[in-house]
Amino acid sequence: MIQVEHLTRRYGELTAVDDVSFHIGQGEVVGLLGHNGAGKTTIMKMLTGFLEPTAGFIRVDNLRIGEDTRAIQNRIGYLPENCPLYPEMTVIDYLDYQAGLHGVPEYKRAPSVARAIRRTALREKASDTIQTLSRGYRQRVGVAQAILHEPAIVILDEPTNGLDPTQILHMRELIRELAQESTVIVSTHILQEVQAICERVLILRAGRLVLDSRLDALQSGRRLLVSVDGDATAALARVDGVEAVEERGRANGRFTYALAANDEAAPAVAAALQAAGRKLYVLQPEPHDLETVFAEVNAIESAAEVAHG
Amino acid sequence: MDEALRIARKEFTGFFASPAAFLFLGAFLAVTLFVFFWVETFFARNIADVRPLFQWMPVLLIFLVAALTMRAWSEERRAGTLETLLTSPVRPLQLVLGKFLAGVALVGVALLLTLPLPVTVALLGPLDWGPVIGGYVGALLLGAAYLAVGQFVSALTENQILAFILALFVCLALWGIGTEAFTGFFSDRVAAILLSLGTGSRFQSIARGVIDLRDLLYYLSLTAFFLLLSVGALRAKRWV
């Protein structure tokens, strides 16, 4: 459905997006993951036709950005970064205005606006001016604007940015709901975000696509963190399912290890430590964040280099 | 066109959401009245016409229009709403026309507010309405040309104060090249060309009540030129 080939974008000297290619199929929920400045927003701006690529091309349903930009824009609902809105308008006026701009015909406009308001749970704020709304509500107005014309593709740039935990849960729920009908692309710099809503992740670093993987594949290479009251290297190495033991540090009489093992191995690890007479303080899957993923990707890359070198 | 009208309506109502709007219109009206009665000493002249009103229009409208258009695109750029506009399936031309039409409506309101002036004059003495109507039509066209300039300049920057100053500068320059103070420096032939390019000198015959098709065409082409430049500026955003 979306085909991106060798996409490159430069701002003067700076290469924001560097030779990125990927395909996204109908109905997929894809997370664009990367630090600030990794090129997520630039890619989204090119997908929506706001920016022209320096090189490469984007195709949506066999339409090409640049030639059929308007037709593509018609199929896309977009929440830009920082959720820009007109503060002096009321929610309902703003949505009605946007519906008009997105080519929703007159007779369908009121139902479309009502539907978007219902889906984003904005009903009690519908007649308030946008400047009186809290950040969470504004973000919802932004999403409502993106889904007004029932687009086949919804692109949300950091939809949970600046929301409190409850609002984040609501937003995730809404995105999951959207994903039932549309192809959804979400950008974020928080890995948990992707894990909560996406099936597939594209990881960007410094403008390059470093990983394109299904999320379940990403989770398989997990590690267990163990903290005990003494040296347990030998005891841990003997446990079935533990492929490697790496000491992470000693502090306050606690020894911390990272085990290359699935979390299936956790009970066996606990039992082995018990048998060895060690007091177990921590046994948990290693928290998976962007850093550890990057570390893994790096490890894979350098291993590949060694193999090829 | 449907889209342009929708944008125009939104822009027009949005304008009155801020008290600054009333301030601009009020200031325009106050200055117009001041110029008419004190500077041009309407009562001392003892003539029942409103020529001084239109003689000053080319300058007065510059300030009004620069204030009206300074936010047009710079605010959209600053707030990021430009991104929602340019990623919606609306042609940039429609966006530009929408903002322009809203501006024309606002200038129309400002001119309507000066209408009590000729009405009062008509009550005081025998006023010839022909030149007055011609003057208003001309003033609207003149305002349209300034609006196009202001909108273009506003599309170039995120800073509305800068947009205001730039609009003043460009419009005053367009007006200034046709003033006698400036054309006096040149030979007659060059002066004639400059006179035909100045927004103010073009307005002379209109202020006198003579509507020349060439004058109207001049304002219309100036308007179209700067509107197209605005479209170009918006399109160029994609390449920056």
Side-chain angles (χ1 to χ4, degrees):
Chain A
M1 180 172 214
I2 302 173
Q3 189 189 356
V4 171
E5 300 289 354
H6 303 293
L7 198 64
T8 299
R9 171 72 204 199
R10 290 191 199 94
Y11 298 106
E13 288 290 291
L14 179 81
T15 304
V17 174
D18 190 2
D19 195 25
V20 169
S21 305
F22 57 85
H23 293 228
I24 295 175
Q26 177 106 38
E28 271 193 288
V29 185
V30 178
L32 273 182
L33 188 63
H35 288 302
N36 295 330
K40 303 173 302 239
T41 297
T42 307
I43 288 182
M44 291 189 153
K45 284 182 173 174
M46 287 191 280
L47 285 172
T48 51
F50 183 64
L51 285 179
E52 205 74 21
T54 311
F57 67 85
I58 299 168
R59 233 192 270 272
V60 177
D61 292 338
N62 290 322
L63 299 167
R64 209 171 144 158
I65 284 272
E67 289 153 21
D68 323 286
T69 308
R70 209 150 293 114
I72 292 178
Q73 285 174 334
N74 235 327
R75 296 168 197 221
I76 293 182
Y78 177 41
L79 169 70
E81 198 181 17
N82 299 328
C83 192
L85 301 165
Y86 298 106
E88 73 281 359
M89 291 180 98
T90 66
V91 171
I92 215 161
D93 282 347
Y94 175 71
L95 292 177
D96 184 66
Y97 177 57
Q98 286 290 347
L101 293 186
H102 283 87
V104 177
E106 192 86 45
Y107 68 95
K108 272 174 76 180
R109 209 165 295 152
S112 298
V113 170
R115 186 163 174 270
I117 285 179
R118 196 172 56 243
R119 291 180 80 182
T120 48
L122 273 169
R123 204 163 60 190
E124 68 266 38
K125 301 286 179 187
S127 53
D128 292 10
T129 52
I130 290 170
Q131 59 197 351
T132 64
L133 299 184
S134 67
R135 172 84 211 201
Y137 277 113
R138 284 182 200 204
Q139 202 87 7
R140 280 196 234 171
V141 175
V143 175
Q145 171 267 122
I147 60 177
L148 265 177
H149 53 300
E150 293 169 37
I153 303 166
V154 179
I155 298 182
L156 308 172
D157 198 348
E158 308 226 354
T160 56
N161 199 2
L163 299 189
D164 69 30
T166 334
Q167 293 168 334
I168 288 180
L169 287 181
H170 281 150
M171 186 61 73
R172 286 180 184 169
E173 201 145 311
L174 176 61
I175 293 171
R176 261 182 242 122
E177 209 182 295
L178 293 179
Q180 290 167 3
E181 293 156 28
S182 318
T183 307
V184 180
I185 306 175
V186 179
S187 83
T188 174
H189 55 269
I190 305 160
L191 187 69
Q192 281 72 24
E193 203 62 53
V194 177
Q195 286 170 331
I197 46 186
C198 302
E199 302 160 349
R200 185 176 151 201
V201 62
L202 302 174
I203 299 184
L204 291 158
R205 190 175 45 189
R208 301 187 72 94
L209 184 63
V210 290
L211 187 75
D212 176 353
S213 140
R214 295 197 56 81
L215 211 59
D216 33 17
L218 193 68
Q219 273 156 336
S220 62
R222 284 198 142 192
R223 294 150 82 87
L224 287 173
L225 286 186
V226 182
S227 182
V228 290
D229 66 342
D231 189 356
T233 320
L236 287 168
R238 278 197 297 274
V239 179
D240 275 348
V242 175
E243 285 154 23
V245 180
E246 181 196 331
E247 192 174 318
R248 279 284 172 88
R250 304 172 184 192
N252 307 327
R254 306 262 175 95
F255 288 62
T256 307
Y257 301 95
L259 311 180
N262 222 319
D263 45 4
E264 245 86 286
V269 170
L273 289 169
Q274 200 90 51
R278 291 284 168 225
K279 286 185 185 140
L280 177 59
Y281 289 102
V282 173
L283 175 58
Q284 64 170 35
E286 185 174 50
H288 223 49
D289 57 25
L290 202 47
E291 294 315 318
T292 55
V293 173
F294 278 158
E296 272 171 37
V297 171
N298 280 342
I300 294 166
E301 274 178 0
S302 54
E305 267 166 39
V306 170
H308 287 111
Chain B
M1 209 55 209
D2 197 26
E3 287 156 341
L5 285 177
R6 182 166 310 114
I7 294 160
R9 207 175 310 128
K10 180 249 161 197
E11 291 290 324
F12 187 79
T13 47
F15 183 78
F16 289 104
S18 96
F22 297 98
L23 203 74
F24 295 153
L25 291 178
F28 172 74
L29 207 59
V31 173
T32 306
L33 292 178
F34 176 79
V35 165
F36 188 75
F37 286 107
W38 274 268
V39 181
E40 295 288 338
T41 56
F42 168 73
F43 289 111
R45 279 172 71 232
N46 211 15
I47 306 169
D49 74 355
V50 287
R51 246 177 89 179
L53 174 70
F54 293 117
Q55 232 135 28
W56 281 80
M57 252 336 148
V59 185
L60 296 183
L61 275 179
I62 289 178
F63 290 90
L64 176 69
V65 167
L68 295 183
T69 56
M70 64 181 182
R71 280 167 58 93
W73 293 110
S74 55
E75 181 64 15
E76 305 262 11
R77 283 180 63 148
R78 196 194 56 74
T81 40
L82 184 61
E83 196 168 343
T84 32
L85 286 181
L86 292 184
T87 54
S88 71
V90 179
R91 290 170 186 279
L93 178 65
Q94 301 282 336
L95 298 172
V96 167
L97 277 180
K99 296 232 175 206
F100 171 72
L101 289 176
V104 171
L106 287 169
V107 170
V109 168
L111 291 175
L112 270 183
L113 289 175
T114 67
L115 210 57
L117 210 56
V119 170
T120 311
V121 174
L123 292 177
L124 292 173
L127 175 70
D128 183 0
W129 277 97
V132 178
I133 292 165
Y136 274 111
V137 171
L140 199 62
L141 286 171
L142 175 70
Y146 287 156
L147 283 166
V149 172
Q151 193 184 141
F152 166 61
V153 164
S154 175
L156 299 179
T157 170
E158 285 178 17
N159 182 334
Q160 46 174 295
I161 302 299
L162 190 63
F164 177 74
I165 293 168
L166 272 174
L168 278 190
F169 182 79
V170 176
C171 291
L172 281 173
L174 280 172
W175 170 75
I177 55 173
T179 55
E180 269 170 42
F182 186 73
T183 54
F185 291 117
F186 299 93
S187 66
D188 283 353
R189 280 180 60 188
V190 179
I193 294 171
L194 289 176
L195 278 175
S196 69
L197 287 176
T199 52
S201 42
R202 278 282 182 187
F203 206 75
Q204 289 305 318
S205 49
I206 294 179
R208 241 179 285 126
V210 184
I211 292 196
D212 188 333
L213 197 61
R214 281 173 298 179
D215 292 335
L216 301 189
L217 218 57
Y218 162 79
Y219 289 119
L220 288 178
S221 51
L222 201 63
T223 307
F225 176 69
F226 278 101
L227 286 182
L228 288 178
L229 279 186
S230 305
V231 174
L234 290 186
R235 283 190 195 284
K237 282 285 295 166
R238 291 164 52 185
W239 301 97
V240 178

PDB file of all heavy atoms in Angstrom, chain B residues 29-41:
ATOM      1  N   LEU B  29     -10.306  54.311  10.855  1.00  0.00           N
ATOM      2  CA  LEU B  29     -11.420  55.244  10.786  1.00  0.00           C
ATOM      3  C   LEU B  29     -11.036  56.586  11.409  1.00  0.00           C
ATOM      4  O   LEU B  29     -11.291  57.660  10.844  1.00  0.00           O
ATOM      5  CB  LEU B  29     -12.611  54.645  11.538  1.00  0.00           C
ATOM      6  CG  LEU B  29     -13.983  55.087  11.076  1.00  0.00           C
ATOM      7  CD1 LEU B  29     -14.168  54.735   9.618  1.00  0.00           C
ATOM      8  CD2 LEU B  29     -15.042  54.405  11.936  1.00  0.00           C
ATOM      9  N   ALA B  30     -10.381  56.527  12.566  1.00  0.00           N
ATOM     10  CA  ALA B  30     -10.013  57.751  13.282  1.00  0.00           C
ATOM     11  C   ALA B  30      -9.052  58.589  12.439  1.00  0.00           C
ATOM     12  O   ALA B  30      -9.243  59.805  12.291  1.00  0.00           O
ATOM     13  CB  ALA B  30      -9.369  57.381  14.622  1.00  0.00           C
ATOM     14  N   VAL B  31      -8.045  57.924  11.884  1.00  0.00           N
ATOM     15  CA  VAL B  31      -7.064  58.656  11.083  1.00  0.00           C
ATOM     16  C   VAL B  31      -7.727  59.247   9.839  1.00  0.00           C
ATOM     17  O   VAL B  31      -7.468  60.393   9.462  1.00  0.00           O
ATOM     18  CB  VAL B  31      -5.885  57.738  10.702  1.00  0.00           C
ATOM     19  CG1 VAL B  31      -4.947  58.456   9.731  1.00  0.00           C
ATOM     20  CG2 VAL B  31      -5.130  57.309  11.936  1.00  0.00           C
ATOM     21  N   THR B  32      -8.611  58.468   9.219  1.00  0.00           N
ATOM     22  CA  THR B  32      -9.310  58.954   8.038  1.00  0.00           C
ATOM     23  C   THR B  32     -10.091  60.234   8.360  1.00  0.00           C
ATOM     24  O   THR B  32     -10.015  61.234   7.635  1.00  0.00           O
ATOM     25  CB  THR B  32     -10.282  57.880   7.516  1.00  0.00           C
ATOM     26  OG1 THR B  32      -9.556  56.687   7.309  1.00  0.00           O
ATOM     27  CG2 THR B  32     -10.932  58.316   6.226  1.00  0.00           C
ATOM     28  N   LEU B  33     -10.819  60.205   9.465  1.00  0.00           N
ATOM     29  CA  LEU B  33     -11.611  61.374   9.850  1.00  0.00           C
ATOM     30  C   LEU B  33     -10.713  62.560  10.182  1.00  0.00           C
ATOM     31  O   LEU B  33     -10.984  63.700   9.797  1.00  0.00           O
ATOM     32  CB  LEU B  33     -12.500  61.039  11.053  1.00  0.00           C
ATOM     33  CG  LEU B  33     -13.614  60.044  10.759  1.00  0.00           C
ATOM     34  CD1 LEU B  33     -14.409  59.734  12.014  1.00  0.00           C
ATOM     35  CD2 LEU B  33     -14.535  60.576   9.672  1.00  0.00           C
ATOM     36  N   PHE B  34      -9.610  62.268  10.880  1.00  0.00           N
ATOM     37  CA  PHE B  34      -8.670  63.322  11.247  1.00  0.00           C
ATOM     38  C   PHE B  34      -8.137  64.024   9.993  1.00  0.00           C
ATOM     39  O   PHE B  34      -8.154  65.252   9.886  1.00  0.00           O
ATOM     40  CB  PHE B  34      -7.518  62.721  12.048  1.00  0.00           C
ATOM     41  CG  PHE B  34      -6.438  63.697  12.388  1.00  0.00           C
ATOM     42  CD1 PHE B  34      -6.595  64.595  13.444  1.00  0.00           C
ATOM     43  CD2 PHE B  34      -5.267  63.745  11.644  1.00  0.00           C
ATOM     44  CE1 PHE B  34      -5.604  65.506  13.750  1.00  0.00           C
ATOM     45  CE2 PHE B  34      -4.273  64.661  11.943  1.00  0.00           C
ATOM     46  CZ  PHE B  34      -4.440  65.544  12.995  1.00  0.00           C
ATOM     47  N   VAL B  35      -7.703  63.201   9.042  1.00  0.00           N
ATOM     48  CA  VAL B  35      -7.152  63.739   7.800  1.00  0.00           C
ATOM     49  C   VAL B  35      -8.205  64.554   7.061  1.00  0.00           C
ATOM     50  O   VAL B  35      -7.955  65.658   6.588  1.00  0.00           O
ATOM     51  CB  VAL B  35      -6.643  62.583   6.905  1.00  0.00           C
ATOM     52  CG1 VAL B  35      -6.417  63.073   5.480  1.00  0.00           C
ATOM     53  CG2 VAL B  35      -5.360  62.010   7.481  1.00  0.00           C
ATOM     54  N   PHE B  36      -9.410  64.029   7.039  1.00  0.00           N
ATOM     55  CA  PHE B  36     -10.475  64.667   6.260  1.00  0.00           C
ATOM     56  C   PHE B  36     -10.848  66.035   6.829  1.00  0.00           C
ATOM     57  O   PHE B  36     -10.979  67.009   6.103  1.00  0.00           O
ATOM     58  CB  PHE B  36     -11.699  63.740   6.236  1.00  0.00           C
ATOM     59  CG  PHE B  36     -12.783  64.204   5.316  1.00  0.00           C
ATOM     60  CD1 PHE B  36     -12.638  64.064   3.941  1.00  0.00           C
ATOM     61  CD2 PHE B  36     -13.943  64.784   5.805  1.00  0.00           C
ATOM     62  CE1 PHE B  36     -13.631  64.485   3.076  1.00  0.00           C
ATOM     63  CE2 PHE B  36     -14.933  65.199   4.950  1.00  0.00           C
ATOM     64  CZ  PHE B  36     -14.790  65.054   3.579  1.00  0.00           C
ATOM     65  N   PHE B  37     -10.983  66.095   8.157  1.00  0.00           N
ATOM     66  CA  PHE B  37     -11.489  67.340   8.747  1.00  0.00           C
ATOM     67  C   PHE B  37     -10.384  68.322   9.133  1.00  0.00           C
ATOM     68  O   PHE B  37     -10.546  69.513   8.983  1.00  0.00           O
ATOM     69  CB  PHE B  37     -12.362  67.031   9.974  1.00  0.00           C
ATOM     70  CG  PHE B  37     -13.700  66.470   9.586  1.00  0.00           C
ATOM     71  CD1 PHE B  37     -13.993  65.131   9.786  1.00  0.00           C
ATOM     72  CD2 PHE B  37     -14.645  67.288   8.985  1.00  0.00           C
ATOM     73  CE1 PHE B  37     -15.222  64.620   9.407  1.00  0.00           C
ATOM     74  CE2 PHE B  37     -15.874  66.775   8.610  1.00  0.00           C
ATOM     75  CZ  PHE B  37     -16.162  65.436   8.813  1.00  0.00           C
ATOM     76  N   TRP B  38      -9.268  67.810   9.639  1.00  0.00           N
ATOM     77  CA  TRP B  38      -8.239  68.730  10.118  1.00  0.00           C
ATOM     78  C   TRP B  38      -7.171  69.005   9.064  1.00  0.00           C
ATOM     79  O   TRP B  38      -6.895  70.140   8.736  1.00  0.00           O
ATOM     80  CB  TRP B  38      -7.591  68.190  11.395  1.00  0.00           C
ATOM     81  CG  TRP B  38      -8.357  68.577  12.603  1.00  0.00           C
ATOM     82  CD1 TRP B  38      -8.168  69.682  13.367  1.00  0.00           C
ATOM     83  CD2 TRP B  38      -9.458  67.874  13.174  1.00  0.00           C
ATOM     84  NE1 TRP B  38      -9.075  69.720  14.375  1.00  0.00           N
ATOM     85  CE2 TRP B  38      -9.889  68.618  14.293  1.00  0.00           C
ATOM     86  CE3 TRP B  38     -10.132  66.687  12.855  1.00  0.00           C
ATOM     87  CZ2 TRP B  38     -10.948  68.224  15.089  1.00  0.00           C
ATOM     88  CZ3 TRP B  38     -11.175  66.294  13.643  1.00  0.00           C
ATOM     89  CH2 TRP B  38     -11.587  67.048  14.743  1.00  0.00           C
ATOM     90  N   VAL B  39      -6.582  67.923   8.540  1.00  0.00           N
ATOM     91  CA  VAL B  39      -5.480  68.119   7.591  1.00  0.00           C
ATOM     92  C   VAL B  39      -5.996  68.774   6.314  1.00  0.00           C
ATOM     93  O   VAL B  39      -5.416  69.734   5.807  1.00  0.00           O
ATOM     94  CB  VAL B  39      -4.792  66.779   7.268  1.00  0.00           C
ATOM     95  CG1 VAL B  39      -3.650  66.991   6.300  1.00  0.00           C
ATOM     96  CG2 VAL B  39      -4.283  66.128   8.550  1.00  0.00           C
ATOM     97  N   GLU B  40      -7.101  68.263   5.810  1.00  0.00           N
ATOM     98  CA  GLU B  40      -7.637  68.814   4.562  1.00  0.00           C
ATOM     99  C   GLU B  40      -8.687  69.899   4.817  1.00  0.00           C
ATOM    100  O   GLU B  40      -9.309  70.404   3.873  1.00  0.00           O
ATOM    101  CB  GLU B  40      -8.250  67.692   3.703  1.00  0.00           C
ATOM    102  CG  GLU B  40      -7.243  66.673   3.216  1.00  0.00           C
ATOM    103  CD  GLU B  40      -6.338  67.226   2.119  1.00  0.00           C
ATOM    104  OE1 GLU B  40      -6.736  68.216   1.459  1.00  0.00           O
ATOM    105  OE2 GLU B  40      -5.232  66.687   1.926  1.00  0.00           O
ATOM    106  N   THR B  41      -8.891  70.236   6.059  1.00  0.00           N
ATOM    107  CA  THR B  41      -9.811  71.310   6.478  1.00  0.00           C
ATOM    108  C   THR B  41     -11.083  71.381   5.637  1.00  0.00           C
ATOM    109  O   THR B  41     -11.307  72.341   4.889  1.00  0.00           O
ATOM    110  CB  THR B  41      -9.101  72.687   6.447  1.00  0.00           C
ATOM    111  OG1 THR B  41      -8.591  72.896   5.142  1.00  0.00           O
ATOM    112  CG2 THR B  41      -7.984  72.737   7.447  1.00  0.00           C
TER     113      THR B  41
END
